[in-house]
Amino acid sequence: MFNDYLKAFIRVAEVGSITAASKSMYISPTGVMKQLNQLEKDLGFTLFIRSHKGLELTEAGRSFYDDAKFLIRSANESINNARQIQDHQRYTLRIATSIMNQDDFFNQVLQAVQKEDPSFNFSIVTFDDQHSGYVSALSNLDSGLDLIANINGLASWSDKLAATVYLKETPLCIAMNRNNKLANHVKLEPSDLGGQNIYAPWPGDSRVCSALQSDLAKQKININWIPTKSYDLSLLNQCANTKNLLLTPKQWVIPHPLLKPIPVNWPYHLDLSFSYSHSVNPRVKRFLEILKELNIKA
């Protein structure tokens, strides 16, 4: 808890405002104020001078600021060292991903977790993008795997096989061959899709897709939906070699050089996420705790 007070103090000292600090810390201004008041009470001296210009450090506050970051670093290192002694080994999380689920944001998250807790190591493995490959990866979360880094939302049935922590939204786009006339658009309107053949998840597989299709039907936009069970390289090849379009997040078409994803003026999106077993093991539990501490969540 004292660590949280120090982090709040450092952030307010850097931005000079409780309101600005609260936004970057994802807690209320009242919460930040309570932490500062408690810290000053515990320390026994005043850290800030309140004025119409905002908050300015007192002389004692400036002195304490110079040491506060060191105190946090030292405390984290002490905690991590103690954890390693207790566990007699580093945490190694086995994380599965696939060619079509690549996004640098996952790397940023893992780097942030290891920076927060250096006792973590990561072992990355791949799974086949075909339906059977994804199901196999989900089924191994109780044994060979700890996490699956994927883009979640087109397979509602996966909720029964795994729990999910959502990180960041990614819009549903329409992808097509780069020579398609629609590829010249910067952004599509739903009405642009009238009369098109579009690959989409099998009916009932996706709550997001079902809502989107219902919405377009209400707008009387007639689309020939082509149901597909697997979003894989074979599907990308089919889309690239025909005039058919593909409902997809942009990340899934990056592996194919002939496909171009175009955003659409609609509110539908999927989520970058980590899937994990419903029976959470200690390594994953600690990982999820750090995500919460870092405010890496939807």
Side-chain angles (χ1 to χ4, degrees), residues 85-268:
I85 291 171
Q86 174 180 287
D87 296 341
H88 301 292
Q89 61 182 2
R90 294 167 63 88
Y91 295 101
T92 298
L93 285 182
R94 297 154 297 178
I95 303 174
T97 188
S98 70
I99 292 176
M100 289 173 57
N101 279 283
Q102 299 293 319
D103 192 290
D104 191 54
F105 183 72
F106 288 123
N107 294 334
Q108 295 172 25
V109 171
L110 296 180
Q111 290 164 12
V113 168
Q114 191 179 59
K115 184 176 180 181
E116 186 73 12
D117 187 344
S119 64
F120 270 107
N121 277 337
F122 303 111
S123 178
I124 309 299
V125 298
T126 60
F127 63 87
D128 195 313
D129 278 304
Q130 290 186 339
H131 177 76
S132 58
Y134 183 44
V135 172
S136 177
L138 288 170
S139 301
N140 275 286
L141 281 172
D142 272 326
S143 52
L145 297 174
D146 292 303
L147 298 165
I148 299 175
N150 61 355
I151 298 171
N152 193 291
L154 286 189
S156 304
W157 50 264
S158 65
D159 296 343
K160 299 177 182 178
L161 298 178
T164 303
V165 56
Y166 298 99
L167 305 173
K168 180 182 178 181
E169 294 181 354
T170 185
L172 266 177
C173 300
I174 292 293
M176 64 209 71
N177 186 291
R178 291 179 179 274
N179 292 323
N180 191 303
K181 62 181 181 180
L182 291 178
N184 295 322
H185 288 65
V186 175
K187 192 170 190 176
L188 295 168
E189 293 296 327
S191 58
D192 295 326
L193 305 178
Q196 298 288 337
N197 300 318
I198 304 178
Y199 294 110
W202 200 265
D205 268 4
S206 167
R207 288 186 292 269
V208 174
C209 187
S210 295
L212 183 154
Q213 291 173 322
S214 175
D215 185 14
L216 296 186
K218 290 177 182 177
Q219 297 179 50
K220 301 189 183 303
I221 299 173
N222 296 317
I223 293 172
N224 178 31
W225 298 103
I226 307 173
T228 179
K229 201 69 177 177
S230 290
Y231 269 66
D232 53 22
L233 294 178
S234 175
L235 180 62
L236 298 190
N237 287 330
Q238 289 180 49
C239 184
N241 294 316
T242 65
K243 294 182 179 180
N244 296 339
L245 310 182
L246 175 64
L247 179 67
T248 177
K250 65 179 181 180
Q251 293 88 342
W252 285 356
V253 300
I254 289 176
H256 204 294
L258 298 185
L259 291 179
K260 182 178 180 180
I262 307 292
V264 186
N265 186 23
W266 58 31
Y268 299 99

Side-chain angles (χ1 to χ4, degrees), residues 10 65-75 77:
I10 290 170
Y65 173 77
D66 292 335
D67 294 325
K69 288 187 177 182
F70 172 79
L71 289 173
I72 289 178
R73 252 191 335 267
S74 180
E77 288 173 3

